[in-house]
Amino acid sequence: LNDAAFRLSEEAGRCIGCGFCESVCPTEPASGYVASRGARGRVILSRELLKNHRGNLDVSAFADSFYSCLDCYACYQVCPAGVNAGLISHYSKEIIGRGGAPPLARMIERMIMRYRSIIPAGRRTSEWARNMEIPDRGSTLLYTGQMYQLMAYVPKLSRFLHRRFPGSGFTASLALRFPPIAHISKLFRDGEVAAAMNASLRDIALLLKSSKIDFFYLFGDEPYPGTLLNDLGFTESFDLYSHWLTDFFRSKGVRRIITVDPHTYDLLKNVIPKRVSEFDFDVSHYLELIDASKLKMTGRKVTFHEPCHLSRRFENFSLPSDMLAKCAVTSMPARSGRNTYCCGGPDELLFPEITGNVSRRRNEQLEMTGAEVTVTACPVCSITLRNDRKVMDIASVLAESSGI
Ligand code: SF4
Ligand code: SF4
């Protein structure tokens, strides 16, 4: 057994088949209760993969089961045997590898390795920082990882790929053969979303400044962190990229990194240091650094959608909800804290129908709190949930409350 197969065998081997995980897995109801799109189905299929992966198994028949997993870890919270079907999906994608991955996943890998981003958006990713007098060198880096900025492209690009070319394989295959065609992705920028995302980034920077935190920003040189290389199971590319990123940060004199979104925070804090021993930067989330003594109650009535990558990847990470409660009348939805419900966003590019159905279900839960506004602390959640409800980034609520 190779490394991924060994880890998969250990994880899947503990499953006793009780099905508790099915009751919380968001992708199963979102797919019309197709068992292969649920947590237990993924465990069962992973065992088939293990038995046959060295033979002539046609992985295309069930690869979608693993690629549609949201990586939300809700299943792990309820499993009596401590099995994580999210990790099982991850190991399975590693085993399936590039040969069995959907063309769109391979296109994303190609883009990141070639352009250090999912979309070659260039200098537009740094327009939020214009006129903010942020230095371009120093030792404490404000690292956006382009996550807020890329959200301006994702919904329109996804609609184009899937409406014009159902299954999205055609365009992706074309882009794999002729990489420059990927530059058309720049045309899918949604100006309204870009303005909202830029405003959130400005609020984050202002909150840090008003808390007397010094930082610098890399502007047009800032690379994407490589999150999707890891999420899609391209381990070899992810390792290469993580080593490159480590050297890049070091070449810029970075010693401390302030992240702004849950996915990058999780990647830099929990994932990369396990794979690259030289990655020894001091990594924080911006909410850990801002001065909470300035927060005042605004009277806004809100509900809070907690991002899976903060609530379930970090023990007792209640910082965002604690801060929000100081400045807004906050009603938490029934699924909160460690039991929060994914927004569905991680499936947007590959399985937009699942994303739509998961986000509708989450919005119903948020609606039941009676609050008119949803607050969240993740650009992916923000863009996914805003279709049916008014959504604010927590940075904007905190900035308003601090009088910035
Ligand atoms: S809850 Fe755990 S033990 Fe039960 S079916 Fe799911 S993975 Fe298996
Ligand atoms: S990680 Fe989330 S989407 Fe994946 S199997 Fe578990 S509950 Fe389902």
Side-chain angles (χ1 to χ4, degrees), residues 14-22 40 43 75 78-81 83:
R14 293 199 304 277
C15 173
I16 53 172
C18 66
F20 287 176
C21 52
E22 286 188 328
R40 182 165 59 172
V43 179
C75 44
V78 299
C79 176
V83 177

Side-chain angles (χ1 to χ4, degrees), residues 154-268:
V154 170
K156 280 191 178 176
L157 181 60
S158 173
R159 277 200 293 279
F160 171 79
L161 287 171
H162 292 273
R163 284 206 188 138
R164 286 291 175 89
F165 309 104
S168 73
F170 175 76
T171 322
S173 304
L174 206 63
L176 283 169
R177 277 196 209 172
F178 308 108
I181 207 174
H183 278 274
I184 65 158
S185 57
K186 287 189 282 195
L187 303 176
F188 296 99
R189 189 170 191 260
D190 183 321
E192 201 184 313
V193 176
M197 295 292 135
N198 285 347
S200 301
L201 287 171
R202 276 194 285 275
D203 284 333
I204 290 170
L206 290 172
L207 284 164
L208 288 167
K209 280 185 175 202
S210 78
S211 303
K212 309 265 182 285
I213 306 291
D214 292 328
F215 57 86
F216 81 102
Y217 176 52
L218 288 161
F219 292 84
D221 289 341
E222 183 189 63
Y224 172 75
T227 320
L228 278 176
L229 292 174
N230 180 50
D231 292 354
L232 294 169
F234 296 117
T235 313
E236 219 171 284
S237 295
F238 177 61
D239 280 347
L240 275 174
Y241 194 86
S242 298
H243 278 99
W244 173 82
L245 191 68
T246 306
D247 293 344
F248 175 79
F249 284 154
R250 217 172 285 295
S251 75
K252 297 287 180 184
V254 174
R255 289 209 295 274
R256 190 176 177 209
I257 301 173
I258 304 172
T259 59
V260 301
D261 76 276
H263 295 265
T264 306
Y265 182 45
D266 177 36
L267 193 84
L268 267 54

